[in-house]
Amino acid sequence: MKLMRTAAVLVSLIMVAGAQEKTELKYAFQKGEKFPLKFKYGLSVKLDKVPEQFLEILGKNPVELQFEGVVDMEVRDIAESGAAELVGTWKTARAKGHVPLNDIDLTYDAAKAEPEKKEQPGDPGLQGFMNIQDALARVVREPLKLSVDRQGKVTLGDGAGKLGDLEGPFRSLNGLMGPLPLQAVGKGDGWKETLKLAMPGLGGQLDIPIQADSVYASKQTLQGRECVMIHTKFLVGPKAGGKEVIEVPDVGAKVTLEGTGEGKTAFALKEGRAAMSQSLLKGKISITLPNPAGGEDLEIAGDLTVELNHEMGGR
């Protein structure tokens, strides 16, 4: 009997110890602090089905984009809610690739007066259409204004520094994982979020809904920073099956997306921020649109890849 009571006490102590390990994962910026934010964003669309009348415009690889940079951030203010107002100065930026009708090749260094960019050949009548490069050249010369809540969700500030179709990398400082959980969590605990990923090159018309299923996996020390390691699985669309259908009324198109992915985030406990995040999403995209010549609808189909990495310095 005494042995059974001792065992029961031990079990209770273990359970209490486990409960005490619950941790609130919250952003905790301090007014006046400065830190670097590094990011790398990749987007690729490769088609295996293209109607002949669109082949010259789209090709087999209509979107191939790599966008990376370093932004020196400063915390200007902290609201009563804990949300931080950040203002960033672009230190370096690099964008290379292409979207329909536009090549992109831009290098920015804050030590130089103007971004370096390759001249854009082509039809003068199409200049400015989906011109991501010119938009980026303006953006990197202006402050990047962000409001970040305690869960890491970002609201972009107004002004010339707003990124428009390329705001995807900045919607959350946790990468594609989205916001941190509201409740305290311990090892093995999970949470779900539904977020939207903007598709550049489509005039801001297409937001891809993604369901992120995250779990507190472990604690690790990374470069001297104690971090909670969060593992995430991604699913396109909020429903089981990983498929989403989006109407684009401006052109009468219907976009069908499906896909899955994985990511990991290291949340630095002492500093209250994601030290790094890595996300990779792969899927299929199919676009059905009216045939301008009449008859059956036209279909464009292929593979979609999205990659997003962040690194954030500490105090």
Side-chain angles (χ1 to χ4, degrees):
M1 181 67 71
K2 183 177 181 180
L3 181 61
M4 291 180 65
R5 282 198 298 268
T6 301
V9 171
L10 287 173
V11 170
S12 298
L13 288 173
I14 291 171
M15 292 177 67
V16 169
Q20 290 174 341
E21 290 180 2
K22 300 281 186 181
T23 304
E24 284 194 337
L25 305 180
K26 305 289 186 186
Y27 273 73
F29 292 121
Q30 294 181 5
K31 185 176 179 178
E33 72 166 297
K34 299 178 181 180
F35 59 91
L37 172 62
K38 301 178 182 179
F39 71 91
K40 186 174 182 180
Y41 174 67
L43 176 66
S44 174
V45 177
K46 296 182 178 180
L47 303 177
D48 50 40
K49 187 175 183 180
V50 189
E52 186 176 349
Q53 53 266 60
F54 291 107
L55 190 57
E56 184 177 352
I57 296 174
L58 297 177
K60 289 287 189 177
N61 183 201
V63 179
E64 192 69 46
L65 177 63
Q66 292 290 329
F67 177 35
E68 58 186 287
V70 179
V71 187
D72 288 335
M73 306 299 299
E74 180 180 357
V75 182
R76 293 289 178 87
D77 199 10
I78 304 291
E80 289 186 9
S81 64
E85 299 298 324
L86 310 182
V87 177
T89 301
W90 290 85
K91 186 176 181 181
T92 61
R94 175 77 169 136
K96 189 172 180 62
H98 57 264
V99 296
L101 307 175
N102 274 250
D103 288 335
I104 302 166
D105 192 356
L106 178 141
T107 301
Y108 175 73
D109 189 322
K112 300 179 180 179
E114 297 290 335
E116 298 176 1
K117 61 180 182 178
K118 185 177 69 175
E119 291 300 321
Q120 297 290 316
D123 186 346
L126 295 175
Q127 288 182 2
F129 180 69
M130 294 183 181
N131 202 330
I132 291 176
Q133 176 159 312
D134 282 355
L136 282 175
R138 292 191 299 270
V139 162
V140 296
R141 294 196 298 266
E142 299 291 337
L144 177 64
K145 299 177 182 179
L146 310 177
S147 176
V148 185
D149 70 11
R150 298 295 304 277
Q151 277 67 50
K153 185 178 178 181
V154 172
T155 302
L156 285 165
D158 294 328
K162 197 160 184 177
L163 289 159
D165 288 352
L166 277 172
E167 70 180 39
F170 297 99
R171 287 188 172 180
S172 167
L173 293 185
N174 308 313
L176 293 183
M177 181 188 79
L180 294 165
L182 292 171
Q183 72 281 10
V185 290
K187 185 177 180 180
D189 289 342
W191 62 95
K192 294 183 179 181
E193 288 288 344
T194 299
L195 55 149
K196 291 184 177 182
L197 177 67
M199 175 76 81
L202 293 177
Q205 300 177 92
L206 189 60
D207 271 349
I208 305 172
I210 298 173
Q211 180 176 290
D213 192 350
S214 301
V215 63
Y216 179 143
S218 64
K219 274 187 182 179
Q220 292 185 22
T221 300
L222 300 178
Q223 298 180 342
R225 305 163 82 179
E226 185 184 23
C227 296
V228 169
M229 301 303 298
I230 302 167
H231 293 178
T232 305
K233 292 186 177 180
F234 304 111
L235 185 68
V236 173
K239 301 177 182 178
K243 181 176 288 189
E244 180 75 11
V245 179
I246 303 171
E247 303 282 349
V248 187
D250 290 352
V251 293
K254 181 182 294 185
V255 182
T256 302
L257 298 132
E258 54 184 308
T260 59
E262 294 185 353
K264 62 180 179 180
T265 301
F267 189 82
L269 292 171
K270 183 178 179 180
E271 297 148 347
R273 70 199 62 186
M276 74 87 184
S277 67
Q278 299 173 344
S279 308
L280 179 63
L281 177 70
K282 292 186 175 182
K284 298 284 186 180
I285 182 169
S286 174
I287 303 173
T288 304
L289 65 165
N291 189 335
E296 295 184 358
D297 288 346
L298 302 175
E299 183 182 8
I300 301 168
D303 298 318
L304 169 70
T305 303
V306 181
E307 185 175 7
L308 178 58
N309 299 327
H310 282 107
E311 290 183 20
M312 207 175 328
R315 289 191 284 271

